[in-house]
């Protein structure tokens, strides 16, 4: 066998780490083993077509195989993992090919040739947990389905990424950035949303059903709908703004990047606001290190936003007043960021520890998905925004802010939609590593 590369060694180390962690967690929670189901695509009601699909995160954590449906991964105490991959003899579809390389060496893959049920566990497992979307599947008697204690402990494990996972996230970022460059170029050349989406997919080398989340491609006021879900076929008559929030999946791991561009017809103030949000996004990233409280950083985002609103004259009061009166939350109603991994909104961000004790977000920030202190190995997105969302700003047109907001300018910017700038950052022992911009700021 040829000597393994550094990447292969890190992949081996990842699987060794998972094996040790699973053994410890299964023992602590009192299970002999766990069978993880990858899941299955839904069949559309009254139809024979299937929706697009992504496998269950705990399955992808081991296999990286985000597209494999009907697979099972068994981890039994004291035994190596065993991957049953669904590969029936089929002339309608291409059967899943056998895993190769490190996965083949470490996960003892075996094809499942017929049926869609759970294979019988090898050996004598008294207390077997089953994880995944198993509703409607015939399961052996006595198995324990989706026990919350086990899921909380495994979610906690998912929060901490090792070097293999960091590599995969960095590679996913590189591909996504190629897509973002092509999207921007297409916009500046006059393309509309659909053609920008196609340019993104082509440059990032992915088919639409395999992206980690539906690409958000919003021109002009569409940039102000946080998860805008359509693609206009015709190009805009005036190109004010483009917001693209789009990623890539590599070896199971997701990039989640947002960029905003001003178009040829943009108001100069919009360009100033993009520069302002970009600047404080980088200042927030500069703060990332172990022990930093993410809720506090989210509050800092509101201070930066308030300062920008005041500096540009959009708000004619103090930054304190803009935050205290709730105005900044109308301009940016979402959280600063979230955990990122084999799911774009990865698990574990709102629990205190492996017990699963809840860490809910503050009342004024219900959309914040990450409420923990940062720690080495966590990967978070940092994605401040500034949007003109009429339904959220409407209440501020009355009352105390009636005269302190420059409503004329706000209305002028409404057909620019909004701004979001999003990077993906790994927390190191003494700082952070921005996987999106290739910069490390630590002394590791
Ligand atoms: N792409 C969704 C998000 O940024 O959270
Ligand atoms: Mn995003
Ligand atoms: Mn995000």
């Amino acid at each position: 066998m040829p000597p393994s590369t550094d990447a292969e060694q890190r992949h081996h180390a990842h699987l060794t780490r998972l094996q040790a962690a699973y053994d410890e967690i299964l023992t602590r929670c009192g299970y002999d083993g766990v069978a993880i189901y990858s899941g299955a695509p839904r069949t559309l009601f009254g139809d024979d077509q299937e929706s697009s699909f992504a496998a269950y995160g705990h399955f992808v954590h081991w296999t990286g195989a985000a597209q494999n449906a009907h697979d099972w991964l068994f981890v039994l105490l004291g035994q190596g993992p065993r991957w049953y991959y669904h590969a029936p003899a089929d002339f309608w579809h291409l059967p899943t090919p056998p895993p190769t390389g490190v996965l083949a060496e470490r996960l003892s893959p075996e094809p499942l040739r017929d049926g869609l049920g759970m294979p019988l566990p090898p050996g004598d497992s008294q207390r077997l947990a089953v994880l995944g979307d198993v509703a409607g599947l015939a399961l052996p008697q006595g198995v324990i389905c989706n026990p919350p204690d086990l899921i909380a402990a495994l979610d906690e494990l998912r929060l901490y990424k090792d070097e293999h996972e960091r590599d995969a996230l960095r590679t996913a970022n590189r591909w996504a950035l190629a897509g973002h460059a092509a999207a921007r170029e297409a916009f500046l050349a006059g393309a509309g949303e659909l053609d920008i989406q196609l340019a993104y997919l082509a440059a990032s080398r992915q088919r639409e059903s395999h992206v980690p989340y539906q690409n958000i491609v919003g021109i002009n006021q569409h940039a102000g709908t946080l998860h805008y879900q359509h693609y206009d076929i015709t190009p805009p008559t005036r190109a004010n703004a483009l917001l693209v929030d789009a990623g890539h999946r590599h070896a199971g791991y997701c990039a989640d990047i947002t960029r905003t561009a001003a178009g040829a017809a943009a108001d100069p103030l919009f360009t100033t606001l993009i520069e302002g949000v970009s600047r404080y996004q980088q200042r927030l990233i500069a703060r990332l290190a172990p022990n930093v409280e993410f809720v506090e950083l989210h509050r800092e985002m509101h201070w930066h936003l308030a300062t920008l609103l005041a500096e540009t004259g959009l708000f004619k009061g103090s930054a304190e007043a803009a935050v205290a009166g709730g105005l900044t939350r109308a301009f940016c109603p979402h959280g600063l960021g979230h955990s990122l991994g084999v799911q774009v909104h990865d698990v574990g961000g709102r629990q205190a520890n492996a017990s699963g004790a809840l860490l809910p977000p503050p009342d004024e920030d219900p959309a914040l998905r990450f409420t923990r202190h940062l720690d080495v190995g966590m990967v978070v997105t940092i994605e401040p925004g500034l949007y003109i969302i009429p339904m959220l700003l409407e209440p501020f047109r009355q009352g105390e802010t009636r005269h302190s907001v420059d409503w004329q300018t706000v209305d002028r910017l409404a057909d620019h939609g909004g701004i979001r700038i999003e990077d993906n950052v790994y927390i190191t022992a003494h700082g952070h590593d921005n996987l999106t911009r290739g910069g490390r700021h630590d002394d590791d």
Side-chain angles (χ1 to χ4, degrees):
M1 204 181 291
S4 57
T5 62
D6 289 352
E8 286 168 337
Q9 283 172 19
R10 290 195 287 273
H11 198 174
H12 276 292
H14 169 66
L15 296 172
T16 301
R17 180 176 80 97
L18 292 198
Q19 176 71 63
Y22 267 62
D23 280 351
E24 187 273 319
I25 290 167
L26 289 169
T27 304
R28 177 155 46 83
C29 296
Y31 298 99
D32 294 329
V34 59
I36 307 174
Y37 181 49
S38 69
R42 306 222 176 265
T43 306
L44 305 181
F45 185 69
D47 201 339
D48 62 357
Q49 299 296 304
E50 293 179 338
S51 58
S52 61
F53 170 77
Y56 181 42
H58 290 302
F59 171 84
V60 181
H61 203 194
W62 283 91
T63 62
Q67 291 300 320
N68 281 36
H70 309 293
D71 282 19
W72 291 86
L73 193 278
F74 279 73
V75 186
L76 304 179
L77 263 188
Q79 301 181 31
R82 193 177 289 258
W83 181 0
Y84 296 94
Y85 65 99
H86 184 65
D90 186 0
F91 52 84
W92 291 104
H93 305 102
L94 191 70
T96 307
T100 56
V102 174
L103 293 171
E105 278 175 51
R106 296 295 298 274
L107 300 185
S108 304
E110 273 188 43
L112 284 175
R113 294 288 181 212
D114 31 50
L116 292 176
M118 173 174 151
L120 280 180
D124 176 29
S125 295
Q126 300 293 321
R127 268 176 68 81
L128 183 71
V130 174
L131 300 185
D133 186 2
V134 291
L137 285 188
L139 298 175
Q141 269 204 331
V143 298
I144 302 141
C145 278
N146 292 313
D149 60 342
L150 182 58
I151 289 178
L154 297 180
D155 285 356
E156 183 76 7
L157 179 63
R158 287 254 298 278
L159 259 183
Y160 295 87
K161 276 75 179 180
D162 53 41
E163 290 301 311
H164 165 73
E165 297 173 289
R166 185 179 179 178
D167 287 350
L169 286 159
R170 198 191 305 280
T171 303
N173 264 261
R174 237 178 257 138
W175 282 110
L177 285 171
H180 278 277
R184 182 185 165 91
E185 210 174 296
F187 172 63
L188 296 178
E193 292 167 354
L194 179 65
D195 288 306
I196 293 170
Q197 157 76 343
L198 296 175
Y200 183 95
L201 293 174
S204 59
R205 311 300 302 147
Q206 42 188 346
R207 58 186 286 178
E208 185 162 342
S209 58
H210 288 193
V211 294
Y213 56 94
Q214 287 307 304
N215 290 353
I216 299 164
V217 180
I219 288 181
N220 298 347
Q221 63 268 46
H222 293 158
T225 298
L226 300 183
H227 286 174
Y228 172 67
Q229 73 275 40
H230 304 294
Y231 305 117
D232 264 359
I233 294 174
T234 46
T237 47
R238 276 176 64 86
N240 294 332
L242 170 71
L243 185 152
V244 176
D245 183 345
H248 185 90
R249 202 192 268 276
H250 178 80
Y253 288 79
C254 308
D256 176 13
I257 299 175
T258 309
R259 293 291 183 259
T260 308
D267 190 300
L269 178 58
F270 189 70
T271 306
T272 303
L273 292 172
I274 294 179
E275 286 164 6
V277 175
S278 302
R279 205 165 37 244
Y280 70 72
Q281 188 241 15
Q282 291 300 303
R283 285 182 65 184
L284 290 163
I285 289 173
R287 294 261 291 106
L288 296 178
N291 297 318
V292 169
E293 201 186 323
F294 205 76
V295 173
E296 189 47 45
L297 218 53
H298 172 83
R299 293 197 178 112
E300 285 179 28
M301 171 183 81
H302 280 283
W303 281 103
H304 287 301
L305 172 53
T307 306
L308 183 62
L309 293 175
E311 278 172 3
T312 51
L314 281 168
F315 181 65
K316 297 184 208 47
S318 66
E320 286 85 349
V323 175
L327 184 67
T328 57
R329 285 173 170 81
F331 277 104
C332 183
H334 61 69
L336 171 63
H338 50 83
S339 183
L340 184 69
V342 293
Q343 289 170 210
V344 68
H345 294 154
D346 212 6
V347 291
R350 281 183 175 180
Q351 66 188 36
N353 50 43
S355 78
L358 293 180
L359 269 186
D363 287 346
E364 63 275 24
D365 296 303
L368 184 58
R369 291 190 168 94
F370 195 92
T371 51
R372 305 180 58 132
H373 284 75
L374 295 174
D375 202 353
V376 183
M378 290 180 176
V379 175
V380 290
T381 66
I382 296 293
E383 48 181 303
L386 191 175
Y387 313 88
I388 312 293
I389 304 175
M391 65 178 277
L392 297 183
L393 291 171
E394 196 51 40
F396 292 89
R397 288 182 191 264
Q398 287 102 43
E400 277 177 34
T401 41
R402 194 171 58 228
H403 301 298
S404 52
V405 172
D406 178 352
W407 292 111
Q408 238 184 343
T409 305
V410 167
D411 291 341
R412 211 176 69 221
L413 291 174
D415 59 3
H416 296 60
I419 298 162
R420 180 161 67 254
I421 313 289
E422 178 176 23
D423 288 357
N424 306 163
V425 189
Y426 179 95
I427 308 301
T428 62
H430 303 287
H432 60 272
D433 175 11
N434 187 338
L435 303 172
T436 310
R437 304 202 189 213
R440 292 177 66 121
H441 293 278
D442 57 24
D443 50 10
D444 290 348

